Amino acid sequence: MSTAIGKPIPRVDGRLKVTGGAKYAAEFNVPDLTYGVVLSGSIAKGKIIRFDDSEALAVPGVLAVFSHKNRPRLAWLDLSYKDQDAPVGSSFRPLRDAEIKFSGQPIALVVAETFEVARYAATLIRVEYQQEPHETELEKHLDGAKKPGRGVPDLIKPPPPPDRGDFKKAFAEAPVKMAGEYVHMPEHHNPMELFASTAVYEQDGKLTIYDKTQGAHNSQLYVSQVFNLPFRDVRVVSPFVGGAFGSGLRPQYQLFLAVLAARELKRNVRVSLTRQQM
């Protein structure tokens, strides 16, 4: 018998959250901090045919612009980009090449001494695309959908449990059968805390990362695999989560970009997504 249902139970972090004492990933005070602003693509599918960041780089205070043109060589194997909650298929690799695969895809990261300078410089980047037809209607592909297979890269996740019972027999013998099609509006859970990562570059090359995540260990594993770092050299801190509802289970691309910039510049870097990028 439950001894908790119906009784007020205090949250251990409740007071800190309602009084502003709980620090989120973008609120930790870090010395010598730089700021990264993500530039999102403006088409849903295609290819970047011209990328001009010269005006952005000329702005005083801008430290670097990272894109597919200067992305350092990182892990090559698809398996390296698989986190502990990754679905079947190839994982997204930010800034990997000039291909645009989805609307809002990150195509560059501008890093500057202040957030305002980085945001302004991002508006100066000139991008031209070769646009391709895109398909966003799920209903058109339901009949051709295949059951996902389990290739070698997908063995990081455990297989589903075996089937139980005989559905076809039970359904055939059911006294009442109902069939219908139900359609509802799309929903997107958008937590209160924006996705953000503050990557602290230590003198010995180790990293301390304040990340907006429900799975600190998952983010730690991802960074270690992608950037070929010893597991013990990556520390991920996430004492509070301002909502997530499952969207914080997996590493988001701002984590990748913050770590990439911190390692290349050997500086502390913070990258926060906007509400639109969420």
Side-chain angles (χ1 to χ4, degrees), residues 24-277:
Y24 296 136
E27 296 178 327
F28 284 88
N29 297 322
V30 175
D32 194 30
L33 183 63
T34 64
Y35 298 82
V37 168
V38 177
L39 176 65
S40 302
S42 60
I43 65 172
K45 187 179 181 182
K47 185 176 182 179
I48 298 173
I49 57 175
R50 179 174 175 268
F51 184 91
D52 184 357
D53 57 4
S54 57
E55 286 189 57
L57 288 169
V59 175
V62 171
L63 301 174
V65 175
F66 296 99
S67 69
H68 68 283
K69 295 172 62 177
N70 62 351
R71 179 185 188 267
R73 296 186 64 178
L74 300 173
W76 180 80
L77 287 175
D78 218 21
L79 184 60
S80 298
Y81 293 81
K82 286 281 186 183
D83 64 88
Q84 293 174 320
D85 202 49
V88 173
S90 296
S91 297
F92 174 59
R93 305 188 191 188
L95 310 185
R96 181 185 185 185
D97 51 36
E99 298 294 325
I100 301 295
K101 299 182 180 296
F102 61 90
S103 179
Q105 177 177 319
I107 61 172
L109 177 74
V110 181
V111 184
E113 296 286 359
T114 68
F115 169 74
E116 291 77 12
V117 168
R119 182 172 59 177
Y120 168 67
T123 67
L124 302 179
I125 297 177
R126 306 294 177 233
V127 185
E128 292 181 12
Y129 303 92
Q130 179 179 310
Q131 194 164 356
E132 300 175 10
H134 60 269
E135 180 60 76
T136 57
E137 295 187 44
L138 177 66
E139 294 82 358
K140 290 185 177 181
H141 302 276
L142 293 179
D143 293 339
K146 297 187 296 183
K147 186 176 181 180
R150 291 190 60 79
V152 173
D154 303 310
L155 296 180
I156 193 170
K157 298 190 71 176
D163 294 335
R164 293 183 299 172
D166 189 338
F167 167 77
K168 291 183 178 180
K169 180 175 181 297
F171 186 74
E173 296 175 352
V176 178
K177 298 180 178 65
M178 295 181 63
E181 183 175 309
Y182 304 90
V183 179
H184 64 79
M185 295 299 292
E187 296 180 0
H188 186 275
H189 49 291
N190 216 308
M192 175 178 64
E193 180 188 5
L194 299 171
F195 282 113
S197 299
T198 302
V200 180
Y201 186 85
E202 311 288 357
Q203 290 296 325
D204 53 5
K206 296 180 180 180
L207 293 169
T208 295
I209 306 166
Y210 299 96
D211 192 32
K212 186 270 193 294
T213 179
Q214 291 171 271
H217 187 271
N218 198 13
S219 292
Q220 181 189 32
L221 175 68
Y222 174 82
V223 170
S224 176
Q225 292 178 157
V226 172
F227 293 91
N228 192 28
L229 292 170
F231 197 68
R232 62 182 179 276
D233 289 354
V234 181
R235 177 172 175 254
V236 177
V237 182
S238 181
F240 301 98
V241 178
F245 319 109
S247 64
L249 290 173
R250 303 191 58 213
Q252 305 295 329
Y253 63 77
Q254 94 287 336
L255 171 63
F256 172 95
L257 295 174
V259 172
L260 181 147
R263 283 173 50 81
E264 290 299 301
L265 297 174
K266 294 180 172 51
R267 294 280 300 272
N268 303 333
V269 181
R270 174 174 294 160
V271 179
S272 302
L273 300 189
T274 64
R275 184 60 68 184
Q276 291 75 20
Q277 288 168 337

Side-chain angles (χ1 to χ4, degrees), residues 1-11:
M1 183 176 179
S2 174
T3 59
I5 294 177
K7 295 182 179 181
I9 304 296
R11 290 183 58 128

